[in-house]
């Protein structure tokens, strides 16, 4: 779950699918308007894009973003290891493109494995919680690293930055 907070000029909150919004910010928007079912965006060049406004009542997910886990600061240089490990994890099915992260007191081990080999590295991190193993996609781990601090528990990983909140359920990979 991702939540972004930013000023839009809309009269009330809007529930809009991420897939519709993800490319809009790079277009250089100059105008925004709304109707009961749509949010309309316009660029300086006159290009108009409309995104469906969903009328569903979105559940309060505040509790999902609560930082009840142990704080860990992931080093920005971990992105480089993520890229190296993905060379192997990207070989298989898209659903198998995941890295294994093992957190122990003071250490983070990153492991990526594929049909032709594996990559593994260990980093020192200021982690004091209980030992945890979880799977995460390389793309998502790179995003988490950008924000530095996160909280991990047996159930989830959460990131809270200035105008960004993210939470994901953690799991391990079952052998096939």
């Amino acid at each position: 779950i991702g939540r972004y907070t930013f000023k839009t000029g809309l009269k009330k909150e809007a529930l809009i699918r991420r897939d519709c919004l993800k490319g809009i910010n790079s277009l250089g928007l100059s105008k925004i308007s709304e109707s009961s079912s749509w949010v309309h965006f316009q660029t300086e060049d006159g290009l108009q894009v409309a995104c469906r406004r969903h009328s569903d009542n979105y559940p309060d997910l505040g509790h999902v973003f609560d930082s009840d886990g142990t704080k860990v600061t992931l080093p920005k240089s971990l992105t480089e290891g993520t890229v190296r490990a993905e060379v192997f994890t990207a070989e298989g099915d898209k659903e198998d493109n995941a890295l294994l992260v093992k957190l122990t007191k003071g250490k983070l081990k990153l492991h990526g494995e594929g049909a032709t080999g594996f990559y593994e590295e260990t980093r020192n991190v200021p982690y004091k919680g209980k030992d945890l193993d979880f799977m995460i996609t390389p793309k998502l781990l790179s995003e988490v690293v950008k924000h530095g601090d996160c909280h991990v528990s047996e159930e989830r990983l959460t990131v809270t930055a200035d105008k960004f909140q993210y939470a994901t359920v953690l799991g391990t990979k079952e052998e096939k």
Side-chain angles (χ1 to χ4, degrees), residues 13-176:
E13 290 182 351
L15 180 59
I16 302 171
R17 292 187 54 86
R18 172 188 62 117
D19 293 342
C20 185
L21 290 174
K22 70 180 177 184
I24 287 182
N25 194 36
S26 64
L27 295 175
L29 301 175
S30 62
K31 293 181 183 176
I32 186 171
S33 64
E34 61 186 308
S35 65
S36 61
S37 300
W38 297 90
V39 177
H40 308 272
F41 303 93
Q42 184 172 326
T43 67
E44 296 284 339
D45 298 333
L47 174 68
Q48 295 179 359
V49 178
C51 291
R52 171 71 93 184
R53 171 186 238 147
H54 295 273
S55 60
D56 302 343
N57 288 327
Y58 201 69
D60 179 10
L61 297 174
H63 67 284
V64 174
F65 296 106
D66 290 342
S67 301
D68 60 350
T70 303
K71 181 180 175 181
V72 60
T73 302
L74 300 176
K76 301 242 186 262
S77 61
L78 188 60
T79 302
E80 297 161 10
T82 301
V83 170
R84 289 185 203 108
E86 187 177 19
V87 168
F88 298 104
T89 62
E91 293 175 339
D93 296 331
K94 189 174 181 179
E95 66 188 42
D96 289 336
N97 188 10
L99 304 172
L100 173 63
V101 176
K102 293 181 173 228
L103 279 170
T104 57
K105 287 185 179 34
K107 301 278 183 198
L108 178 146
K109 184 183 278 188
L110 177 68
H111 180 89
E113 189 171 328
T116 61
F118 71 93
Y119 177 81
E120 189 170 275
E121 70 177 45
T122 302
R123 300 283 178 118
N124 293 326
V125 294
Y127 178 70
K128 297 177 182 166
K130 59 193 267 187
D131 292 0
L132 286 174
D133 295 1
F134 61 90
M135 304 298 292
I136 188 168
T137 65
K139 182 177 179 180
L140 180 53
L141 183 57
S142 294
E143 283 298 312
V144 170
V145 166
K146 286 180 190 176
H147 298 286
D149 292 341
C150 63
H151 288 82
V152 291
S153 68
E154 290 182 9
E155 297 85 29
R156 65 181 173 260
L157 177 144
T158 58
V159 177
T160 301
D162 184 33
K163 296 181 181 201
F164 167 75
Q165 288 182 302
Y166 180 81
T168 188
V169 174
L170 296 179
T172 57
K173 192 174 187 177
E174 292 183 19
E175 294 297 322
K176 290 182 181 179

